Amino acid sequence: MSHRLSPLLQPRSIAMIGASNNPARIGGMPLDLLKQFGFEGQVYPINPKYEEVFGYRCYADIESLPEAPDLVVLAIGAADVTSMLRRCHARGVKAAIVYAAGFAEMGGEGVALQDELERFAEESGMVVAGPNCMGFANLNSKAFTAFATVFKNVPPQTGIGRASLVTQSGNVCSTVFALMRQLGIEISHFINTGNEACVEFSEYLEFLAQDEQTDCVIGYVEQLRNGPRFIESALAFAEACKPLILYKAGQTEKGSEAVRSHTSALAGNMALYEAAFRQLNVIQAQDFTQMADIALLSGFRQRTGGKRMAIVTLSGALGAILADKFIGAGLDVPTLPTDVQQALRDGIPDYGMVSNPIDVTGNIVNNPDFVRSVFSVLAKTDAIDTVVIYANGSLLDRMAEPLMEICAAYPRLFVAIDTGKAKCREQLVAAGIPVFTDIGRAAAALAPYCHWLDGRAGVAYWAQLRRQSQGAHVERTIAGLDEYQTKCLLAEFGVPPVAETPAADADAAVEAAGRIGYPVVLKVLSADIAHKTEAGGVRLSLQNEAQVRTAFHEIIESARKYDPQARIQGVLVQAMSKGIAELIAGVTHDPVFGGALTVGLGGVLTELYRDVSHRILPVDEVMVGEMLRSLKAYPLLDGFRGRAKADVDAAGKAVAALSRASLALGENAQEIEINPLQVKEAGAGAVAIDALLLTR
Amino acid sequence: MSHRLSPLLQPRSIAMIGASNNPARIGGMPLDLLKQFGFEGQVYPINPKYEEVFGYRCYADIESLPEAPDLVVLAIGAADVTSMLRRCHARGVKAAIVYAAGFAEMGGEGVALQDELERFAEESGMVVAGPNCMGFANLNSKAFTAFATVFKNVPPQTGIGRASLVTQSGNVCSTVFALMRQLGIEISHFINTGNEACVEFSEYLEFLAQDEQTDCVIGYVEQLRNGPRFIESALAFAEACKPLILYKAGQTEKGSEAVRSHTSALAGNMALYEAAFRQLNVIQAQDFTQMADIALLSGFRQRTGGKRMAIVTLSGALGAILADKFIGAGLDVPTLPTDVQQALRDGIPDYGMVSNPIDVTGNIVNNPDFVRSVFSVLAKTDAIDTVVIYANGSLLDRMAEPLMEICAAYPRLFVAIDTGKAKCREQLVAAGIPVFTDIGRAAAALAPYCHWLDGRAGVAYWAQLRRQSQGAHVERTIAGLDEYQTKCLLAEFGVPPVAETPAADADAAVEAAGRIGYPVVLKVLSADIAHKTEAGGVRLSLQNEAQVRTAFHEIIESARKYDPQARIQGVLVQAMSKGIAELIAGVTHDPVFGGALTVGLGGVLTELYRDVSHRILPVDEVMVGEMLRSLKAYPLLDGFRGRAKADVDAAGKAVAALSRASLALGENAQEIEINPLQVKEAGAGAVAIDALLLTR
């Protein structure tokens, strides 16, 4: 594999500028680690003061090296960085790591220094990591470029790591590395991104999506600086079928505040981050330990699993507890079909349970044939995706042989939980069966992992929709549109408006009302008046010509009083339309993710209960259907308390049309909102009652 | 201490009926354990087949023992149990444990056997544990009466345990015991309750609340069979200032189903269990590991803490993560007051953080004076309750000395998190500072523990209210009350009704409307018609005499058609009252907890979002205020979008009056509901618009 970041992350030769012979100093520690762990490539310490450092020949300057190294590490002060990089570039070096702090994160002069650095990197094409970063480690090739004491205290593995670590904080990188090692996870890359002046978080992801020694990535994010590139890299992970597991800081207001005061990063719109992660099948972790456990599960991803769990225990009570735990974590524990229950009942005593959770009772462990038969039934049925066996210590040991046999014969994911001290743990893992030692940790890791397994189809679907939606841009003048014009524009993309006609005077209003049919609504028509009700600009349920005339004059007068400067086109005459429910659907341009759609039932439900669904664009009607069904308020569209069902399909089409409109109009249409989108009885459609378009 | 259960749980002498010399058999295993761990009391194996068992002299029968033992353990079949217990009772035995299954849990004949057992226990006064239980262990006195292999695989501690374990499943008891031991918790009592034929879960709690060797209880509950006794025992825990930590099975429908098919236990109304636990300051655990961690914290309860956390880290990123984690778990991370920030800033560099989370930066560890000064500032300020320090390995080690000094000088709770390998862990624990090794576990345990600390005042308040509310019963005929009579009855207790008058004919209705003032509402008045709107029995906004007359005749005619058998008293004439919001407030009699109040905003908010609050009775207006403020919809009462604020005080008084009414009327008033309770502008009161009373 060859990637722009290869010299940085898989260097064959490393030079250290500012080398020291003191292993406690930043110019010494990486050299010490390279020597200690036996990096096989070339190492070139550079410092005119020394002949030799840690057994490596030391050079006076970059120019005197016998070859151009893949990578230089700069252990020098911020002020000297860019000039030194120029010399390295002249010498033919492709990549560099800059430790120094004192750039943009310090403000003032540091900002200028970082600008200079960025300009140099752009012009030269050199890959410059950092500044203000701790350096990296490729733990498989033993290419240590990090000044991180953690490698002294927590030795790297001897085997080949398959999980990569990439964080926006050096401290977090060390902390998580130590934790992963304690939990037995072997790491391939140790990456922390620093200020990301020239190489941004998502570019590392791009590299790791292709990297053959990376099965999954564990990451820590404060702020994504390049949303579109992040989307691309997440899709690359999806395509490579590798889990991307990210912890996003700033989940609460206090957390965002801490992130901001820490590195001036803006934590962004957390709800949208979460929605985007879900949409991209990125696993949003809640915990470092959980990340380790999901990474562990990733090693078993050749096995087919999903979120419908069968639970097998030797105790009804433990089955009940696991069912609660799994369902609470978002998994399903479906009742097994009768024929499967029947097949299980063959060997399970009456006081056992076969419906799921399955209590095979303590007797089972004495009968390997029966253990085999139970697991083979569960390996074959289509009614579930994943089998979890909870048995402690020697009880699990006695089931291990038949379990491994079945696991060898069928591709289904089997998972064991042992809160005792079973001897078979390592054997099970080697046979393809992950083992958990805590039920809480099992549920916390299995839930997102199984959702990831199930979510692969969805992200592939969206990736295709996204490809199809490229290049749909349309040039249109969209500034200063009034309500009617906005709806006309949206109608071109397929958003049906309510029956309505603009009317400049009372006669025209009466004429329009006659054509639309009474009762009608009159609304003031002006691009300058956003709050029509406040302006006294709305009259409902007008029953006849006289009422329309009166209403027309009252509205105009009231609106003029409200805002004497407003340009008033007249009124909009609308049918007094009735529906089952009213949606709010809006697209905004998020600074990170670009076009983002929000759908909800509006009003109190949206504001107090935050019962809304978000997606990044594009969306189609299938996705809008999923968004609507994910709302707690969805029953209001689905025959709540004997009401008629609403036309969810039509709502899906209208909102998908809004998505197309937003993509076509581009970022100039900063915000488009349909509020309300009235959804009628099933088969009767959905219409935009009001719409608003804000330009930049 | 002396308690009815002392002979069972602290026996000085134990007889085993059905003794075996095989340590793998139920009649042998406890004897083996008693011998192995050196129980110092008398042990009397009983079996005519043997002279000696495990080095203990064996007796032919209970009659030939040299003394009446405190406790007998029956390792014999269900059919022989009660007759054997009669002989034991005749011999002067005070307590017995029955292992045998085959009682109520099997149905059929087993039910009769259990009835016989219960009758015997009641008549004799003998304490009979089980049947269908695994036996107990007092791990401090080494009185093992359990046939549990776990004690062979997981040796009990050598020190004195201070956490007791009581479960409604033998398997769970063993599983949790093993886990607790792995996590380093020392256990005092190992109790599993079996069928609870004669000794019910709460009686064990009662014992443990008094037990001097129990600091906290870890319990597993499927079903509480005696709610009032549970309430008493929970209050005893509160008074003794011991945490009662319970895992309740059946949190999901599937979990309840599993509990039911496991032991026929009814998992009950989970929402009410949760509310009752909260009200009684019982810690509802989500996880066994979490239970262990809370038990660990319980050992530090001499220190003063609470849910306002100060977070101290050496990394801004880790501070942000902890803040997210703690707030997500329900803790507070308040911004520190300016003077405290100032005091901290004295030694923290500019790039550190002082507002909370506090990033003291890596430099601090080299300066013990500064560490001491930071912790002393945090030990003294009233702005927070608990201080959490997250520093890894050697960094924590270097802060340990000054931390312990401050901890010795101030009573505040300090907690350390080390995800590295700090050497000071044991020292810190000995100095009164709990240490966590995982941030997820720290948050999951600290949140309920700190809420428990804070909740002690609330439960004391409620215990007093409960004492004051005793004996308020009133004899009243309450069957067959119509809406008007129900509101009159509730008004006697202080629930204000809307202005209304019953009217038997149209003239009376007109007269009443005149007095009340137009517009008015007419509603059919009949105790036999529950669904007035469906019966065509409601007319709103009647503006004058003519409309009232017409409405009267239409209502009566429509109601007669709807239900020809219904006794119709006439109509109720009501003021057309307007309010800020409408509440629903209902009291039902729960089979476990008795009178329980539910309050919400009714309609969709209650049904789809389950936005309701529950309490067990009694409640007073202060508690109702808390219930209302806990609703997500509370802003609707508190000036949402510029509306006027509602009279929350009046609503509190009205609902508290409903609580008094329910307690006074007793269980015959099976359900009383005010729906809606209309809440007017602040100062303008709250009135019951409709009310319903269902009798048994």
Side-chain angles (χ1 to χ4, degrees):
Chain A
M1 139 193 195
S2 158
H3 185 277
R4 195 174 93 95
L5 300 192
S6 295
L8 188 66
L9 299 170
Q10 295 176 324
R12 285 157 309 173
S13 47
I14 304 167
M16 165 64 76
I17 298 181
S20 158
N21 60 5
N22 181 347
R25 304 201 57 150
I26 62 170
M29 194 181 296
L31 295 169
D32 184 26
L33 293 167
L34 289 165
K35 180 53 87 181
Q36 183 187 339
F37 294 107
F39 174 59
E40 292 192 346
Q42 291 300 315
V43 177
Y44 302 112
I46 296 180
N47 189 334
K49 283 200 286 181
Y50 305 108
E51 288 292 310
E52 196 186 277
V53 177
F54 295 101
Y56 297 112
R57 180 177 160 193
C58 192
Y59 294 83
D61 48 38
I62 187 79
E63 288 78 9
S64 23
L65 296 192
E67 61 165 342
D70 278 355
L71 172 64
V72 294
V73 180
L74 273 64
I76 59 177
D80 302 325
V81 162
T82 302
S83 57
M84 181 58 78
L85 286 174
R86 286 186 209 283
R87 288 171 59 187
C88 294
H89 181 241
R91 183 66 187 82
V93 175
K94 298 188 207 84
I97 296 172
V98 180
Y99 289 162
F103 287 88
E105 85 283 2
M106 293 292 274
E109 224 166 292
V111 175
L113 282 178
Q114 185 156 327
D115 283 349
E116 188 196 359
L117 176 65
E118 287 180 29
R119 267 199 314 278
F120 160 75
E122 201 172 319
E123 286 160 20
S124 67
M126 196 170 172
V127 176
V128 183
N132 190 22
C133 84
M134 200 188 251
F136 306 148
N138 180 325
L139 293 142
N140 293 334
S141 75
K142 312 298 177 196
F144 288 87
T145 55
F147 66 97
T149 49
V150 71
F151 298 119
K152 286 286 182 184
N153 303 325
V154 182
Q157 73 269 354
T158 45
I160 293 295
R162 306 214 51 89
S164 288
L165 190 53
V166 48
T167 68
Q168 287 185 329
S169 150
N171 260 309
V172 171
C173 209
S174 288
T175 300
V176 175
F177 177 79
L179 195 67
M180 293 296 137
R181 294 297 306 123
Q182 274 183 44
L183 297 169
I185 308 293
E186 308 198 315
I187 299 293
S188 39
H189 290 279
F190 172 102
I191 299 169
N192 59 97
T193 63
N195 285 9
E196 302 184 3
C198 321
V199 185
E200 187 262 348
F201 192 80
S202 302
E203 194 171 357
Y204 294 101
L205 293 183
E206 236 172 62
F207 171 89
L208 296 169
Q210 293 173 32
D211 181 39
E212 282 138 23
Q213 292 192 345
T214 297
D215 272 0
C216 72
V217 162
I218 292 166
Y220 166 80
V221 179
E222 295 187 344
Q223 170 188 42
L224 290 174
R225 292 177 174 83
N226 187 338
R229 192 164 195 171
F230 175 76
I231 293 172
E232 290 296 341
S233 61
L235 292 177
F237 269 82
E239 202 159 332
C241 197
K242 298 179 180 182
L244 175 55
I245 309 158
L246 298 181
Y247 184 96
K248 170 72 178 76
Q251 296 176 13
T252 62
E253 256 176 60
K254 193 73 195 173
S256 316
E257 194 186 304
V259 161
R260 198 164 51 247
S261 77
H262 169 221
T263 53
S264 320
L266 294 171
N269 177 340
M270 195 63 203
L272 190 55
Y273 264 94
E274 285 177 358
F277 283 7
R278 221 175 299 120
Q279 189 170 349
L280 294 164
N281 213 22
V282 170
I283 299 176
Q284 193 198 347
Q286 299 303 326
D287 214 283
F288 296 156
T289 304
Q290 184 203 28
M291 290 176 124
D293 290 336
I294 302 170
L296 179 123
L297 285 172
S298 304
F300 300 88
R301 69 194 192 288
Q302 76 283 10
R303 304 202 66 89
T304 56
K307 71 173 186 156
R308 296 174 308 154
M309 316 301 278
I311 296 172
V312 180
T313 67
L314 283 72
S315 148
L318 295 176
I321 291 169
L322 272 194
D324 281 345
K325 209 71 200 143
F326 284 179
I327 294 168
L331 295 167
D332 294 340
V333 181
T335 299
L336 295 172
T338 320
D339 58 328
V340 179
Q341 292 200 27
Q342 209 65 56
L344 291 171
R345 184 55 84 192
D346 278 351
I348 295 178
D350 278 354
Y351 61 91
M353 287 153 43
V354 292
S355 68
N356 194 23
I358 301 152
D359 170 13
V360 291
T361 78
N363 293 327
I364 192 178
V365 294
N366 300 318
N367 185 342
D369 282 345
F370 180 57
V371 175
R372 203 176 289 114
S373 129
V374 165
F375 290 141
S376 106
V377 168
L378 294 175
K380 284 187 281 193
T381 176
D382 288 338
I384 52 106
D385 304 312
T386 304
V387 183
V388 175
I389 300 107
Y390 183 13
N392 283 323
S394 58
L395 296 171
L396 183 60
D397 285 331
R398 286 147 84 182
M399 294 159 82
E401 278 302 333
L403 175 55
M404 290 188 291
E405 270 174 48
I406 294 299
C407 196
Y410 299 92
R412 175 149 293 163
L413 178 61
F414 282 79
V415 177
I417 304 177
D418 164 38
T419 54
K421 290 180 174 176
K423 297 187 185 71
C424 62
R425 287 183 186 177
E426 280 186 25
Q427 257 185 301
L428 292 181
V429 170
I433 302 159
V435 180
F436 284 91
T437 56
D438 180 282
I439 60 169
R441 277 174 59 183
L446 280 168
Y449 178 71
C450 290
H451 274 105
W452 177 80
L453 289 172
D454 286 343
R456 288 173 299 178
V459 71
Y461 178 91
W462 185 70
Q464 196 182 348
L465 175 66
R466 186 162 173 273
R467 276 191 300 274
Q468 290 163 352
S469 307
Q470 304 287 350
H473 190 70
V474 164
E475 276 306 325
R476 285 290 292 264
T477 309
I478 54 172
L481 298 188
D482 64 31
E483 179 189 339
Y484 178 68
Q485 292 162 326
T486 302
K487 274 181 274 183
C488 289
L489 175 63
L490 292 176
E492 289 177 35
F493 293 91
V495 180
V498 67
E500 64 183 6
T501 309
D505 55 37
D507 286 343
V510 166
E511 199 270 328
R515 207 151 16 81
I516 289 166
Y518 287 99
V520 294
V521 177
L522 255 60
K523 292 153 87 176
V524 65
L525 189 59
S526 163
D528 299 332
I529 297 180
H531 303 286
K532 293 184 277 280
T533 306
E534 230 173 71
V538 182
R539 292 290 185 284
L540 304 173
S541 287
L542 304 173
Q543 304 289 346
N544 52 45
E545 191 181 318
Q547 287 184 4
V548 168
R549 281 189 194 281
T550 315
F552 182 90
H553 294 298
E554 284 174 3
I555 284 175
I556 300 297
E557 189 178 347
S558 179
R560 288 221 172 100
K561 215 177 276 167
Y562 177 76
D563 180 357
Q565 258 67 57
R567 292 156 303 169
I568 296 172
Q569 274 81 41
V571 299
L572 197 52
V573 185
Q574 287 189 337
M576 184 80 194
S577 173
K578 275 204 171 177
I580 303 292
E582 298 197 333
L583 300 181
I584 171 168
V587 174
T588 51
H589 277 274
D590 181 74
V592 176
F593 294 106
L597 170 70
T598 300
V599 172
L601 268 88
V604 169
L605 306 189
T606 303
E607 279 199 49
L608 293 184
Y609 295 93
R610 302 194 182 183
D611 188 17
V612 291
S613 176
H614 307 282
R615 290 287 186 285
I616 48 180
L617 298 187
V619 301
D620 65 4
E621 55 191 276
V622 175
M623 290 173 68
V624 177
E626 287 165 6
M627 293 173 80
L628 292 175
R629 277 188 294 278
S630 77
L631 298 174
K632 282 199 181 144
Y634 181 69
L636 297 177
L637 299 172
D638 197 40
F640 185 67
R641 283 185 177 172
R643 292 192 211 182
K645 291 196 182 206
D647 199 334
V648 173
D649 288 348
K653 283 188 180 124
V655 178
L658 170 64
S659 160
R660 285 194 302 275
S662 169
L663 287 174
L665 299 172
E667 288 191 19
N668 277 337
Q670 181 60 20
E671 196 177 330
I672 314 178
E673 187 178 271
I674 305 176
N675 183 14
L677 176 72
Q678 187 178 73
V679 192
K680 298 169 184 287
E681 271 191 43
V687 293
I689 303 287
D690 201 346
L692 183 74
L693 191 155
L694 297 180
T695 53
R696 287 217 206 222
Chain B
M1 142 191 195
S2 160
H3 185 277
R4 195 175 91 95
L5 301 191
S6 295
L8 189 68
L9 299 170
Q10 295 176 323
R12 285 157 310 173
S13 48
I14 303 169
M16 165 65 76
I17 298 180
S20 158
N21 59 5
N22 181 346
R25 304 202 55 157
I26 60 169
M29 193 181 295
L31 295 169
D32 185 23
L33 294 166
L34 287 165
K35 179 55 84 180
Q36 184 186 339
F37 294 106
F39 173 60
E40 292 193 347
Q42 291 300 313
V43 178
Y44 302 110
I46 296 179
N47 189 335
K49 283 201 284 182
Y50 305 108
E51 289 292 310
E52 197 185 277
V53 178
F54 294 100
Y56 295 113
R57 180 177 161 192
C58 191
Y59 294 83
D61 49 38
I62 186 80
E63 287 80 8
S64 26
L65 296 192
E67 61 164 340
D70 276 354
L71 171 65
V72 295
V73 181
L74 273 62
I76 59 177
D80 301 326
V81 162
T82 303
S83 57
M84 182 58 80
L85 286 175
R86 284 186 210 284
R87 288 172 58 188
C88 294
H89 180 240
R91 184 66 186 83
V93 175
K94 296 187 208 85
I97 295 171
V98 180
Y99 288 162
F103 287 88
E105 85 284 1
M106 294 293 273
E109 223 167 294
V111 176
L113 282 178
Q114 185 156 329
D115 283 348
E116 190 196 357
L117 176 64
E118 287 180 29
R119 266 199 314 279
F120 160 74
E122 199 170 320
E123 286 161 18
S124 66
M126 197 169 171
V127 175
V128 183
N132 190 24
C133 85
M134 200 187 250
F136 306 146
N138 181 324
L139 293 140
N140 292 334
S141 74
K142 311 299 177 196
F144 287 88
T145 55
F147 64 97
T149 50
V150 71
F151 298 120
K152 284 287 181 184
N153 304 325
V154 182
Q157 74 268 355
T158 44
I160 293 294
R162 307 217 47 93
S164 289
L165 189 54
V166 48
T167 70
Q168 288 186 328
S169 150
N171 260 308
V172 171
C173 209
S174 288
T175 301
V176 175
F177 177 79
L179 195 68
M180 293 296 136
R181 293 300 304 125
Q182 274 181 44
L183 297 170
I185 307 293
E186 309 200 313
I187 299 293
S188 40
H189 290 278
F190 173 101
I191 300 170
N192 58 96
T193 63
N195 285 9
E196 302 184 1
C198 320
V199 186
E200 188 261 348
F201 192 80
S202 302
E203 194 172 355
Y204 294 101
L205 293 184
E206 237 171 62
F207 171 88
L208 296 168
Q210 294 173 31
D211 181 38
E212 280 137 24
Q213 293 193 344
T214 297
D215 271 0
C216 71
V217 162
I218 292 168
Y220 166 80
V221 179
E222 295 188 343
Q223 171 189 41
L224 290 174
R225 293 175 173 86
N226 188 339
R229 192 163 193 169
F230 175 76
I231 293 172
E232 290 295 341
S233 60
L235 293 177
F237 270 81
E239 201 158 333
C241 197
K242 298 179 181 185
L244 174 56
I245 309 158
L246 298 180
Y247 183 97
K248 170 71 178 77
Q251 295 176 13
T252 64
E253 256 177 61
K254 193 74 195 176
S256 314
E257 195 186 302
V259 161
R260 199 163 51 247
S261 78
H262 169 222
T263 52
S264 321
L266 296 170
N269 178 340
M270 195 62 202
L272 190 55
Y273 265 94
E274 286 176 358
F277 283 7
R278 220 175 301 120
Q279 190 170 348
L280 294 164
N281 213 20
V282 170
I283 299 176
Q284 194 197 347
Q286 299 302 326
D287 214 283
F288 296 155
T289 304
Q290 184 201 28
M291 289 175 124
D293 290 336
I294 302 170
L296 180 123
L297 286 172
S298 304
F300 300 88
R301 70 193 192 289
Q302 76 283 8
R303 302 202 68 88
T304 56
K307 70 172 185 159
R308 297 175 307 156
M309 317 300 278
I311 296 172
V312 179
T313 67
L314 283 69
S315 148
L318 294 176
I321 292 169
L322 273 194
D324 280 346
K325 211 65 203 149
F326 283 180
I327 293 167
L331 294 168
D332 295 340
V333 182
T335 300
L336 294 173
T338 320
D339 58 327
V340 178
Q341 293 198 28
Q342 210 62 55
L344 291 171
R345 184 55 85 195
D346 277 349
I348 296 178
D350 277 354
Y351 60 91
M353 290 153 41
V354 293
S355 68
N356 194 21
I358 301 152
D359 171 13
V360 290
T361 78
N363 293 328
I364 191 180
V365 296
N366 301 319
N367 185 343
D369 281 344
F370 180 56
V371 175
R372 203 175 292 113
S373 130
V374 165
F375 290 143
S376 107
V377 168
L378 294 175
K380 284 186 280 192
T381 173
D382 288 337
I384 50 109
D385 305 310
T386 304
V387 182
V388 175
I389 300 107
Y390 184 12
N392 283 324
S394 56
L395 296 173
L396 183 60
D397 285 332
R398 286 149 82 184
M399 295 159 83
E401 279 301 334
L403 175 55
M404 290 188 292
E405 268 173 51
I406 294 300
C407 197
Y410 299 93
R412 176 149 292 165
L413 178 61
F414 282 79
V415 177
I417 304 177
D418 164 38
T419 55
K421 290 180 173 177
K423 296 188 186 72
C424 62
R425 286 183 185 178
E426 279 185 27
Q427 257 185 302
L428 291 181
V429 170
I433 302 159
V435 180
F436 285 90
T437 58
D438 181 282
I439 59 168
R441 278 174 59 184
L446 279 169
Y449 178 71
C450 290
H451 274 105
W452 177 80
L453 289 172
D454 286 343
R456 289 174 298 179
V459 70
Y461 178 91
W462 186 69
Q464 195 182 350
L465 175 65
R466 186 162 173 272
R467 276 192 300 274
Q468 289 163 351
S469 307
Q470 304 288 348
H473 190 69
V474 163
E475 274 308 325
R476 284 292 291 264
T477 310
I478 54 173
L481 298 189
D482 64 33
E483 180 189 336
Y484 178 66
Q485 292 162 326
T486 302
K487 274 181 277 185
C488 289
L489 175 62
L490 292 176
E492 290 177 34
F493 293 92
V495 180
V498 66
E500 63 184 5
T501 309
D505 55 39
D507 286 344
V510 167
E511 199 269 332
R515 209 152 12 86
I516 289 166
Y518 288 98
V520 294
V521 178
L522 255 59
K523 291 153 87 177
V524 63
L525 189 58
S526 163
D528 299 331
I529 298 179
H531 303 286
K532 292 185 277 279
T533 306
E534 228 172 74
V538 181
R539 292 290 184 285
L540 305 174
S541 286
L542 304 173
Q543 304 288 346
N544 52 43
E545 189 180 322
Q547 287 184 5
V548 167
R549 281 188 194 281
T550 314
F552 181 90
H553 295 298
E554 284 173 3
I555 284 175
I556 300 297
E557 191 179 346
S558 178
R560 287 219 173 101
K561 218 179 271 169
Y562 176 76
D563 181 356
Q565 258 68 58
R567 290 158 303 168
I568 296 171
Q569 272 82 42
V571 299
L572 198 52
V573 184
Q574 287 188 338
M576 186 78 194
S577 172
K578 277 202 170 176
I580 304 291
E582 297 196 334
L583 300 181
I584 171 169
V587 174
T588 51
H589 276 272
D590 181 74
V592 176
F593 294 106
L597 169 70
T598 300
V599 171
L601 267 88
V604 167
L605 306 189
T606 303
E607 279 198 48
L608 294 183
Y609 296 92
R610 301 196 184 185
D611 188 17
V612 290
S613 176
H614 307 282
R615 288 289 186 284
I616 48 180
L617 298 188
V619 301
D620 65 5
E621 55 191 277
V622 175
M623 291 173 67
V624 177
E626 287 166 4
M627 293 174 80
L628 293 175
R629 277 188 293 277
S630 77
L631 298 174
K632 283 198 180 148
Y634 180 70
L636 297 178
L637 298 172
D638 197 39
F640 185 66
R641 285 184 176 174
R643 291 191 214 183
K645 292 200 182 201
D647 198 333
V648 173
D649 288 348
K653 283 188 181 124
V655 178
L658 170 64
S659 159
R660 284 195 302 274
S662 170
L663 286 174
L665 300 171
E667 289 191 20
N668 278 337
Q670 181 61 21
E671 197 177 327
I672 314 178
E673 189 179 87
I674 305 176
N675 183 14
L677 176 72
Q678 187 177 74
V679 192
K680 298 169 185 287
E681 272 189 42
V687 292
I689 303 287
D690 201 347
L692 183 75
L693 190 156
L694 298 180
T695 52
R696 290 223 203 216

